[in-house]
Amino acid sequence: MSQIADEIKNQINKRRTFAIISHPDAGKTTLTEKFLLYGGAINLAGSVKGKATARHAVSDWMEIEKERGISVTSSVLQFNYGGYCINILDTPGHQDFSEDTYRTLMAADSAVMVIDASKGVEAQTRKLFKVCTMRHIPIFTFINKMDREAMDTFELLDDIENELGIATCPVNWPIGSGKEFKGVYDRNTRKVELFSDTHKGTTQGEVRKISIEDDEIGQWVTDAQLAQLREEIELQDGAGAKFDQALVSKGELSPVFFGSALTNFGVETFLKHFLSMTTSPLPRKSDKGAVDPMEEKDFSAFVFKIQANMNKAHRDRIAFMRICSGEFEAGMDVFHIQGGKKVRLSQPQQMMASERKMIDKAYGGDIIGVFDPGIFSIGDTLTTSPKRFTYEGIPTFAPEHFARVRQVDTMKRKQFIKGINQIAQEGAIQIFQEFNTGMEEIIVGVVGVLQFDVLKYRLENEYNVDIRLDNLPYEYIRWIENTDIDLDRLTGTSGMKKVKDLKGRPLLLFVNDWSIRMTVDRNKGLELSEFGRS
Ligand code: G4P
């Protein structure tokens, strides 16, 4: 019998922790706002963005994101709805997103993918999606902006299946789009949820549902639309994948919903279904096997994000961790596995709606930010368990932009090295050195080019070091999986460069896909990976 107190079990059981992903402008922020509206966490939709900007004002280097009006950092929002305690991990949606975006997905138990109905799957969704599939977490699709002209429904579903390689199962089906949008048909209840945008989403609005067999439906939906709906549903019933919770849970089948976040249509329907289909906190892999929050009574967590310099005067950092098991209490002492000693987790914070607040307690599934005096690294494990185990590390994601970096004033080498190493430790950038050339030059790799600006800004402001960045033509990085390859003899193309990371592990940079293929061809048995092990 488990020794976990019922109260803790109940708390963990009602947690739903998910990441929300989308291409910029698909409507992620709007949808999140509407979720919060249902949770009663905000009264008026529209406040997420405003408050987020105010919050960011505490941090200096985030001036960059204010100036550009984009969000570099990801935040976590918690609210209650329908007996669930929901943690939404928001991911920066701009093209210039960082590795943090990927890491955030490592802390989630499922993902909600928002797609613009007029655009289908876009580049960034594809990238983020790869990380979800790597983890086999459930993925739910919300096709947004049905109040605008949309792509054909079958085309949209095909797009998801082809681009992302996952089967889809529409839970509801749209009737028209744009000016002709009439609502969605629930394939299970056979009722039409009628579209209304009277409230423009500032209140919860009323929901009207009418059976497709009811004569009244004719008042709302034209005969032609009804005929088309019947035909489409018949086609879908015949050829489409059936709903299968087991496949959803394995991330092999994505339930699809249609709606319009802006007009608050289809949002609550989505939320309700999603909450019933998604999962409570999942077991996490560790070096002693999977740690199940329903079996492990002790507190355990791993760090997935470090945010620097919330307060420039103190150069402090906040380490964000995902609690995997047990109960957290403010000020508790826990064992930091990688540091090999006990630490007190002080000033624990959590986001409620968009405000940061101090918390007393948190449970498995929750995300908390704690004060970090500079001892934590991404992927570190903390636990009160006497058994001491380490959670599986967070992979290093492939940067796509590289630059050679030097300090302008050669006298400042020490500060430069210290600064760049600290920033790399936080995970904002990755640093590499040329392999076997004896050159002292540092190559920096980033996932989004904005990180170059962040690096420059932070080195100037926090470490008083001016740097020069010279862009390099490489776009791809691959980790070498083989341990028995003689790197000196490895031959590539002129578009390939050998480098090593901070731990001395060899990597290859490439200018293009062709160069990767040629290098693999020329070196028998060479195994390359897109993710680095931590
Ligand atoms: P993001 O976080 O994914 O980047 O998207 P965001 O919610 O900021 O939405 C991007 C734009 O799309 C916003 O308009 C938003 O109002 C609009 N939008 C979101 N959902 C819907 C929808 O269901 N239907 C329609 N028609 N539009 C939608 P904006 O003009 O760029 O910004 P704003 O000035 O309205 O904030």
Side-chain angles (χ1 to χ4, degrees), residues 188-301:
N188 197 27
T189 61
R190 300 174 52 82
K191 282 189 178 156
V192 174
E193 186 176 334
L194 293 173
F195 174 59
S196 91
D197 71 345
T198 45
H199 297 290
K200 279 288 171 217
T202 50
T203 61
Q204 297 186 10
E206 62 181 298
V207 177
R208 280 206 70 185
K209 292 181 185 168
I210 299 181
S211 164
I212 191 153
E213 318 298 349
D214 193 325
D215 288 343
E216 201 198 327
I217 195 80
Q219 288 178 26
W220 309 95
V221 182
T222 64
D223 287 349
Q225 283 182 315
L226 268 182
Q228 185 182 346
L229 173 68
R230 291 209 161 92
E231 194 182 315
E232 288 178 347
I233 291 299
E234 199 177 297
L235 250 172
Q236 181 64 26
D237 285 349
K242 302 272 170 291
F243 180 80
D244 180 337
Q245 182 64 50
L247 291 179
V248 172
S249 300
K250 282 194 282 186
E252 290 173 17
L253 180 69
S254 179
V256 179
F257 300 79
F258 295 81
S260 159
L262 184 67
T263 57
N264 203 6
F265 178 79
V267 175
E268 191 169 27
T269 301
F270 171 69
L271 189 59
K272 280 186 177 153
H273 279 93
F274 161 68
L275 289 170
S276 70
M277 294 172 184
T278 188
T279 168
S280 55
L282 293 169
R284 292 265 158 176
K285 282 188 195 155
S286 81
D287 59 355
K288 69 157 196 186
V291 177
D292 188 335
M294 287 296 120
E295 283 166 18
E296 173 61 61
K297 72 175 181 14
D298 290 309
F299 166 87
S300 68

Side-chain angles (χ1 to χ4, degrees), residues 21-34 49 90-91 93-94 114 116 142-148 200 259-265:
I21 62 178
S22 77
H23 193 83
D25 276 350
K28 186 168 54 77
T29 313
T30 313
L31 186 65
T32 307
E33 281 172 1
K34 300 297 149 83
K49 264 186 181 165
D90 185 16
T91 51
H94 193 268
V114 186
D116 183 331
F142 185 80
I143 300 192
N144 191 31
K145 303 199 187 182
M146 288 307 300
D147 58 308
R148 294 244 182 101
K200 279 288 171 217
S260 159
L262 184 67
T263 57
N264 203 6
F265 178 79

